[in-house]
PDB file of all heavy atoms in Angstrom:
ATOM      1  N   ILE A  47       1.381 -13.978  -5.878  1.00 92.00           N
ATOM      2  CA  ILE A  47       0.134 -14.009  -6.636  1.00 92.00           C
ATOM      3  C   ILE A  47      -0.915 -14.689  -5.771  1.00 92.00           C
ATOM      4  O   ILE A  47      -0.691 -15.787  -5.257  1.00 92.00           O
ATOM      5  CB  ILE A  47       0.298 -14.762  -7.964  1.00 92.00           C
ATOM      6  CG1 ILE A  47       1.270 -14.006  -8.867  1.00 92.00           C
ATOM      7  CG2 ILE A  47      -1.044 -14.948  -8.659  1.00 92.00           C
ATOM      8  CD1 ILE A  47       1.581 -14.690 -10.168  1.00 92.00           C
ATOM      9  N   SER A  48      -2.050 -14.033  -5.627  1.00 91.00           N
ATOM     10  CA  SER A  48      -3.116 -14.603  -4.810  1.00 91.00           C
ATOM     11  C   SER A  48      -3.666 -15.865  -5.475  1.00 91.00           C
ATOM     12  O   SER A  48      -3.929 -15.877  -6.676  1.00 91.00           O
ATOM     13  CB  SER A  48      -4.253 -13.594  -4.635  1.00 91.00           C
ATOM     14  OG  SER A  48      -5.346 -14.202  -3.974  1.00 91.00           O
ATOM     15  N   PRO A  49      -3.894 -16.932  -4.680  1.00 92.00           N
ATOM     16  CA  PRO A  49      -4.527 -18.135  -5.230  1.00 92.00           C
ATOM     17  C   PRO A  49      -6.037 -17.943  -5.419  1.00 92.00           C
ATOM     18  O   PRO A  49      -6.686 -18.741  -6.081  1.00 92.00           O
ATOM     19  CB  PRO A  49      -4.242 -19.202  -4.172  1.00 92.00           C
ATOM     20  CG  PRO A  49      -4.062 -18.445  -2.900  1.00 92.00           C
ATOM     21  CD  PRO A  49      -3.482 -17.110  -3.289  1.00 92.00           C
ATOM     22  N   HIS A  50      -6.587 -16.857  -4.868  1.00 94.00           N
ATOM     23  CA  HIS A  50      -8.011 -16.524  -4.965  1.00 94.00           C
ATOM     24  C   HIS A  50      -8.229 -15.772  -6.274  1.00 94.00           C
ATOM     25  O   HIS A  50      -7.762 -14.634  -6.436  1.00 94.00           O
ATOM     26  CB  HIS A  50      -8.399 -15.679  -3.742  1.00 94.00           C
ATOM     27  CG  HIS A  50      -9.840 -15.353  -3.669  1.00 94.00           C
ATOM     28  ND1 HIS A  50     -10.288 -14.050  -3.729  1.00 94.00           N
ATOM     29  CD2 HIS A  50     -10.933 -16.139  -3.541  1.00 94.00           C
ATOM     30  CE1 HIS A  50     -11.610 -14.049  -3.631  1.00 94.00           C
ATOM     31  NE2 HIS A  50     -12.021 -15.299  -3.526  1.00 94.00           N
ATOM     32  N   LEU A  51      -8.899 -16.409  -7.248  1.00 96.00           N
ATOM     33  CA  LEU A  51      -9.006 -15.853  -8.597  1.00 96.00           C
ATOM     34  C   LEU A  51      -9.591 -14.440  -8.641  1.00 96.00           C
ATOM     35  O   LEU A  51      -9.035 -13.581  -9.339  1.00 96.00           O
ATOM     36  CB  LEU A  51      -9.792 -16.794  -9.522  1.00 96.00           C
ATOM     37  CG  LEU A  51      -9.833 -16.381 -10.990  1.00 96.00           C
ATOM     38  CD1 LEU A  51      -8.433 -16.265 -11.581  1.00 96.00           C
ATOM     39  CD2 LEU A  51     -10.668 -17.377 -11.789  1.00 96.00           C
ATOM     40  N   PRO A  52     -10.675 -14.127  -7.939  1.00 97.00           N
ATOM     41  CA  PRO A  52     -11.178 -12.748  -7.986  1.00 97.00           C
ATOM     42  C   PRO A  52     -10.133 -11.724  -7.529  1.00 97.00           C
ATOM     43  O   PRO A  52     -10.006 -10.652  -8.126  1.00 97.00           O
ATOM     44  CB  PRO A  52     -12.392 -12.768  -7.051  1.00 97.00           C
ATOM     45  CG  PRO A  52     -12.853 -14.188  -7.059  1.00 97.00           C
ATOM     46  CD  PRO A  52     -11.585 -15.002  -7.166  1.00 97.00           C
ATOM     47  N   THR A  53      -9.366 -12.066  -6.508  1.00 96.00           N
ATOM     48  CA  THR A  53      -8.319 -11.165  -6.032  1.00 96.00           C
ATOM     49  C   THR A  53      -7.207 -11.035  -7.071  1.00 96.00           C
ATOM     50  O   THR A  53      -6.710  -9.935  -7.327  1.00 96.00           O
ATOM     51  CB  THR A  53      -7.745 -11.687  -4.695  1.00 96.00           C
ATOM     52  OG1 THR A  53      -8.817 -11.789  -3.751  1.00 96.00           O
ATOM     53  CG2 THR A  53      -6.661 -10.784  -4.158  1.00 96.00           C
ATOM     54  N   ALA A  54      -6.813 -12.146  -7.689  1.00 96.00           N
ATOM     55  CA  ALA A  54      -5.761 -12.117  -8.714  1.00 96.00           C
ATOM     56  C   ALA A  54      -6.189 -11.275  -9.910  1.00 96.00           C
ATOM     57  O   ALA A  54      -5.387 -10.512 -10.466  1.00 96.00           O
ATOM     58  CB  ALA A  54      -5.415 -13.536  -9.151  1.00 96.00           C
ATOM     59  N   ILE A  55      -7.461 -11.372 -10.315  1.00 97.00           N
ATOM     60  CA  ILE A  55      -7.948 -10.576 -11.447  1.00 97.00           C
ATOM     61  C   ILE A  55      -7.936  -9.097 -11.096  1.00 97.00           C
ATOM     62  O   ILE A  55      -7.456  -8.260 -11.882  1.00 97.00           O
ATOM     63  CB  ILE A  55      -9.340 -11.055 -11.896  1.00 97.00           C
ATOM     64  CG1 ILE A  55      -9.223 -12.416 -12.593  1.00 97.00           C
ATOM     65  CG2 ILE A  55     -10.012 -10.030 -12.825  1.00 97.00           C
ATOM     66  CD1 ILE A  55     -10.547 -13.079 -12.930  1.00 97.00           C
ATOM     67  N   GLN A  56      -8.432  -8.736  -9.919  1.00 97.00           N
ATOM     68  CA  GLN A  56      -8.430  -7.324  -9.516  1.00 97.00           C
ATOM     69  C   GLN A  56      -7.006  -6.779  -9.437  1.00 97.00           C
ATOM     70  O   GLN A  56      -6.748  -5.652  -9.861  1.00 97.00           O
ATOM     71  CB  GLN A  56      -9.164  -7.137  -8.188  1.00 97.00           C
ATOM     72  CG  GLN A  56     -10.666  -7.185  -8.309  1.00 97.00           C
ATOM     73  CD  GLN A  56     -11.216  -6.069  -9.188  1.00 97.00           C
ATOM     74  OE1 GLN A  56     -10.816  -4.911  -9.093  1.00 97.00           O
ATOM     75  NE2 GLN A  56     -12.142  -6.421 -10.064  1.00 97.00           N
ATOM     76  N   GLN A  57      -6.071  -7.570  -8.922  1.00 97.00           N
ATOM     77  CA  GLN A  57      -4.682  -7.116  -8.835  1.00 97.00           C
ATOM     78  C   GLN A  57      -4.074  -6.966 -10.224  1.00 97.00           C
ATOM     79  O   GLN A  57      -3.298  -6.054 -10.475  1.00 97.00           O
ATOM     80  CB  GLN A  57      -3.844  -8.069  -7.981  1.00 97.00           C
ATOM     81  CG  GLN A  57      -2.424  -7.571  -7.736  1.00 97.00           C
ATOM     82  CD  GLN A  57      -2.405  -6.262  -6.985  1.00 97.00           C
ATOM     83  OE1 GLN A  57      -2.900  -6.173  -5.875  1.00 97.00           O
ATOM     84  NE2 GLN A  57      -1.822  -5.232  -7.584  1.00 97.00           N
ATOM     85  N   THR A  58      -4.439  -7.860 -11.143  1.00 97.00           N
ATOM     86  CA  THR A  58      -3.956  -7.750 -12.525  1.00 97.00           C
ATOM     87  C   THR A  58      -4.404  -6.428 -13.130  1.00 97.00           C
ATOM     88  O   THR A  58      -3.607  -5.708 -13.747  1.00 97.00           O
ATOM     89  CB  THR A  58      -4.477  -8.931 -13.365  1.00 97.00           C
ATOM     90  OG1 THR A  58      -3.993 -10.151 -12.802  1.00 97.00           O
ATOM     91  CG2 THR A  58      -4.035  -8.820 -14.814  1.00 97.00           C
ATOM     92  N   PHE A  59      -5.674  -6.086 -12.950  1.00 98.00           N
ATOM     93  CA  PHE A  59      -6.194  -4.830 -13.496  1.00 98.00           C
ATOM     94  C   PHE A  59      -5.527  -3.624 -12.828  1.00 98.00           C
ATOM     95  O   PHE A  59      -5.212  -2.633 -13.498  1.00 98.00           O
ATOM     96  CB  PHE A  59      -7.718  -4.778 -13.362  1.00 98.00           C
ATOM     97  CG  PHE A  59      -8.438  -5.498 -14.464  1.00 98.00           C
ATOM     98  CD1 PHE A  59      -8.320  -6.880 -14.626  1.00 98.00           C
ATOM     99  CD2 PHE A  59      -9.235  -4.822 -15.360  1.00 98.00           C
ATOM    100  CE1 PHE A  59      -8.965  -7.549 -15.645  1.00 98.00           C
ATOM    101  CE2 PHE A  59      -9.890  -5.484 -16.380  1.00 98.00           C
ATOM    102  CZ  PHE A  59      -9.752  -6.845 -16.527  1.00 98.00           C
ATOM    103  N   ALA A  60      -5.270  -3.711 -11.521  1.00 96.00           N
ATOM    104  CA  ALA A  60      -4.567  -2.626 -10.828  1.00 96.00           C
ATOM    105  C   ALA A  60      -3.137  -2.488 -11.352  1.00 96.00           C
ATOM    106  O   ALA A  60      -2.636  -1.366 -11.524  1.00 96.00           O
ATOM    107  CB  ALA A  60      -4.560  -2.890  -9.320  1.00 96.00           C
ATOM    108  N   ASN A  61      -2.480  -3.617 -11.620  1.00 95.00           N
ATOM    109  CA  ASN A  61      -1.114  -3.573 -12.157  1.00 95.00           C
ATOM    110  C   ASN A  61      -1.090  -2.939 -13.542  1.00 95.00           C
ATOM    111  O   ASN A  61      -0.187  -2.159 -13.864  1.00 95.00           O
ATOM    112  CB  ASN A  61      -0.515  -4.977 -12.193  1.00 95.00           C
ATOM    113  CG  ASN A  61      -0.267  -5.536 -10.807  1.00 95.00           C
ATOM    114  OD1 ASN A  61      -0.306  -4.829  -9.809  1.00 95.00           O
ATOM    115  ND2 ASN A  61      -0.038  -6.833 -10.730  1.00 95.00           N
ATOM    116  N   ILE A  62      -2.072  -3.257 -14.368  1.00 97.00           N
ATOM    117  CA  ILE A  62      -2.164  -2.644 -15.696  1.00 97.00           C
ATOM    118  C   ILE A  62      -2.348  -1.141 -15.550  1.00 97.00           C
ATOM    119  O   ILE A  62      -1.688  -0.350 -16.240  1.00 97.00           O
ATOM    120  CB  ILE A  62      -3.303  -3.285 -16.514  1.00 97.00           C
ATOM    121  CG1 ILE A  62      -2.911  -4.720 -16.899  1.00 97.00           C
ATOM    122  CG2 ILE A  62      -3.647  -2.449 -17.755  1.00 97.00           C
ATOM    123  CD1 ILE A  62      -4.053  -5.558 -17.432  1.00 97.00           C
ATOM    124  N   SER A  63      -3.218  -0.738 -14.650  1.00 97.00           N
ATOM    125  CA  SER A  63      -3.437   0.680 -14.388  1.00 97.00           C
ATOM    126  C   SER A  63      -2.127   1.372 -14.010  1.00 97.00           C
ATOM    127  O   SER A  63      -1.803   2.448 -14.516  1.00 97.00           O
ATOM    128  CB  SER A  63      -4.474   0.849 -13.280  1.00 97.00           C
ATOM    129  OG  SER A  63      -4.632   2.198 -12.926  1.00 97.00           O
ATOM    130  N   ALA A  64      -1.359   0.743 -13.119  1.00 95.00           N
ATOM    131  CA  ALA A  64      -0.091   1.326 -12.670  1.00 95.00           C
ATOM    132  C   ALA A  64       0.900   1.483 -13.825  1.00 95.00           C
ATOM    133  O   ALA A  64       1.596   2.500 -13.916  1.00 95.00           O
ATOM    134  CB  ALA A  64       0.516   0.468 -11.564  1.00 95.00           C
ATOM    135  N   VAL A  65       0.970   0.499 -14.713  1.00 95.00           N
ATOM    136  CA  VAL A  65       1.896   0.580 -15.851  1.00 95.00           C
ATOM    137  C   VAL A  65       1.472   1.700 -16.801  1.00 95.00           C
ATOM    138  O   VAL A  65       2.305   2.490 -17.259  1.00 95.00           O
ATOM    139  CB  VAL A  65       1.994  -0.772 -16.596  1.00 95.00           C
ATOM    140  CG1 VAL A  65       2.837  -0.635 -17.864  1.00 95.00           C
ATOM    141  CG2 VAL A  65       2.574  -1.848 -15.687  1.00 95.00           C
ATOM    142  N   ILE A  66       0.175   1.784 -17.097  1.00 97.00           N
ATOM    143  CA  ILE A  66      -0.311   2.842 -17.996  1.00 97.00           C
ATOM    144  C   ILE A  66      -0.013   4.216 -17.399  1.00 97.00           C
ATOM    145  O   ILE A  66       0.491   5.112 -18.089  1.00 97.00           O
ATOM    146  CB  ILE A  66      -1.819   2.674 -18.283  1.00 97.00           C
ATOM    147  CG1 ILE A  66      -2.067   1.402 -19.104  1.00 97.00           C
ATOM    148  CG2 ILE A  66      -2.363   3.900 -19.024  1.00 97.00           C
ATOM    149  CD1 ILE A  66      -3.540   1.028 -19.237  1.00 97.00           C
ATOM    150  N   LYS A  67      -0.319   4.404 -16.121  1.00 96.00           N
ATOM    151  CA  LYS A  67      -0.074   5.692 -15.466  1.00 96.00           C
ATOM    152  C   LYS A  67       1.411   6.036 -15.475  1.00 96.00           C
ATOM    153  O   LYS A  67       1.786   7.178 -15.733  1.00 96.00           O
ATOM    154  CB  LYS A  67      -0.615   5.689 -14.037  1.00 96.00           C
ATOM    155  CG  LYS A  67      -2.122   5.696 -13.989  1.00 96.00           C
ATOM    156  CD  LYS A  67      -2.698   5.970 -12.616  1.00 96.00           C
ATOM    157  CE  LYS A  67      -2.371   4.937 -11.605  1.00 96.00           C
ATOM    158  NZ  LYS A  67      -3.130   5.122 -10.338  1.00 96.00           N
ATOM    159  N   HIS A  68       2.253   5.041 -15.203  1.00 94.00           N
ATOM    160  CA  HIS A  68       3.705   5.254 -15.195  1.00 94.00           C
ATOM    161  C   HIS A  68       4.203   5.651 -16.589  1.00 94.00           C
ATOM    162  O   HIS A  68       4.943   6.623 -16.737  1.00 94.00           O
ATOM    163  CB  HIS A  68       4.397   3.973 -14.713  1.00 94.00           C
ATOM    164  CG  HIS A  68       5.887   4.010 -14.784  1.00 94.00           C
ATOM    165  ND1 HIS A  68       6.664   4.717 -13.894  1.00 94.00           N
ATOM    166  CD2 HIS A  68       6.764   3.433 -15.655  1.00 94.00           C
ATOM    167  CE1 HIS A  68       7.937   4.567 -14.206  1.00 94.00           C
ATOM    168  NE2 HIS A  68       8.017   3.793 -15.273  1.00 94.00           N
ATOM    169  N   ALA A  69       3.784   4.911 -17.588  1.00 95.00           N
ATOM    170  CA  ALA A  69       4.287   5.147 -18.947  1.00 95.00           C
ATOM    171  C   ALA A  69       3.785   6.464 -19.530  1.00 95.00           C
ATOM    172  O   ALA A  69       4.522   7.157 -20.236  1.00 95.00           O
ATOM    173  CB  ALA A  69       3.880   3.990 -19.857  1.00 95.00           C
ATOM    174  N   LEU A  70       2.540   6.809 -19.253  1.00 95.00           N
ATOM    175  CA  LEU A  70       1.949   8.002 -19.859  1.00 95.00           C
ATOM    176  C   LEU A  70       1.985   9.225 -18.950  1.00 95.00           C
ATOM    177  O   LEU A  70       1.530  10.301 -19.348  1.00 95.00           O
ATOM    178  CB  LEU A  70       0.508   7.712 -20.297  1.00 95.00           C
ATOM    179  CG  LEU A  70       0.355   6.597 -21.335  1.00 95.00           C
ATOM    180  CD1 LEU A  70      -1.103   6.437 -21.731  1.00 95.00           C
ATOM    181  CD2 LEU A  70       1.224   6.860 -22.562  1.00 95.00           C
ATOM    182  N   GLY A  71       2.500   9.059 -17.754  1.00 94.00           N
ATOM    183  CA  GLY A  71       2.593  10.189 -16.836  1.00 94.00           C
ATOM    184  C   GLY A  71       1.227  10.709 -16.408  1.00 94.00           C
ATOM    185  O   GLY A  71       1.055  11.909 -16.214  1.00 94.00           O
ATOM    186  N   LEU A  72       0.272   9.800 -16.257  1.00 94.00           N
ATOM    187  CA  LEU A  72      -1.080  10.199 -15.867  1.00 94.00           C
ATOM    188  C   LEU A  72      -1.114  10.516 -14.372  1.00 94.00           C
ATOM    189  O   LEU A  72      -0.334   9.960 -13.602  1.00 94.00           O
ATOM    190  CB  LEU A  72      -2.087   9.091 -16.189  1.00 94.00           C
ATOM    191  CG  LEU A  72      -2.220   8.701 -17.665  1.00 94.00           C
ATOM    192  CD1 LEU A  72      -3.219   7.555 -17.807  1.00 94.00           C
ATOM    193  CD2 LEU A  72      -2.631   9.885 -18.510  1.00 94.00           C
ATOM    194  N   PRO A  73      -2.047  11.362 -13.962  1.00 94.00           N
ATOM    195  CA  PRO A  73      -2.149  11.668 -12.531  1.00 94.00           C
ATOM    196  C   PRO A  73      -2.567  10.441 -11.728  1.00 94.00           C
ATOM    197  O   PRO A  73      -3.191   9.516 -12.265  1.00 94.00           O
ATOM    198  CB  PRO A  73      -3.228  12.758 -12.471  1.00 94.00           C
ATOM    199  CG  PRO A  73      -3.973  12.668 -13.751  1.00 94.00           C
ATOM    200  CD  PRO A  73      -3.028  12.076 -14.767  1.00 94.00           C
ATOM    201  N   GLU A  74      -2.250  10.459 -10.451  1.00 91.00           N
ATOM    202  CA  GLU A  74      -2.565   9.335  -9.572  1.00 91.00           C
ATOM    203  C   GLU A  74      -4.060   9.056  -9.524  1.00 91.00           C
ATOM    204  O   GLU A  74      -4.482   7.935  -9.327  1.00 91.00           O
ATOM    205  CB  GLU A  74      -2.017   9.610  -8.164  1.00 91.00           C
ATOM    206  CG  GLU A  74      -1.979   8.406  -7.269  1.00 91.00           C
ATOM    207  CD  GLU A  74      -1.189   7.227  -7.815  1.00 91.00           C
ATOM    208  OE1 GLU A  74      -0.139   7.426  -8.451  1.00 91.00           O
ATOM    209  OE2 GLU A  74      -1.634   6.080  -7.605  1.00 91.00           O
ATOM    210  N   THR A  75      -4.884  10.088  -9.729  1.00 92.00           N
ATOM    211  CA  THR A  75      -6.340   9.920  -9.680  1.00 92.00           C
ATOM    212  C   THR A  75      -6.896   9.203 -10.907  1.00 92.00           C
ATOM    213  O   THR A  75      -8.018   8.709 -10.875  1.00 92.00           O
ATOM    214  CB  THR A  75      -7.034  11.284  -9.549  1.00 92.00           C
ATOM    215  OG1 THR A  75      -6.600  12.129 -10.633  1.00 92.00           O
ATOM    216  CG2 THR A  75      -6.692  11.937  -8.221  1.00 92.00           C
ATOM    217  N   ALA A  76      -6.130   9.136 -11.985  1.00 93.00           N
ATOM    218  CA  ALA A  76      -6.567   8.429 -13.205  1.00 93.00           C
ATOM    219  C   ALA A  76      -6.335   6.941 -13.015  1.00 93.00           C
ATOM    220  O   ALA A  76      -5.515   6.524 -12.206  1.00 93.00           O
ATOM    221  CB  ALA A  76      -5.785   8.931 -14.416  1.00 93.00           C
ATOM    222  N   ASN A  77      -7.078   6.106 -13.779  1.00 93.00           N
ATOM    223  CA  ASN A  77      -6.745   4.681 -13.737  1.00 93.00           C
ATOM    224  C   ASN A  77      -6.214   4.187 -15.079  1.00 93.00           C
ATOM    225  O   ASN A  77      -5.730   3.087 -15.175  1.00 93.00           O
ATOM    226  CB  ASN A  77      -7.902   3.825 -13.223  1.00 93.00           C
ATOM    227  CG  ASN A  77      -8.975   3.532 -14.238  1.00 93.00           C
ATOM    228  OD1 ASN A  77      -8.852   3.816 -15.426  1.00 93.00           O
ATOM    229  ND2 ASN A  77     -10.064   2.956 -13.791  1.00 93.00           N
TER     230      ASN A  77
END
Side-chain angles (χ1 to χ4, degrees):
I47 295 176
S48 173
H50 184 243
L51 186 58
T53 302
I55 288 173
Q56 283 298 316
Q57 186 62 60
T58 299
F59 277 65
N61 292 347
I62 290 167
S63 175
V65 174
I66 293 170
K67 289 192 296 189
H68 174 75
L70 299 182
L72 299 178
E74 194 57 38
T75 55
N77 79 9

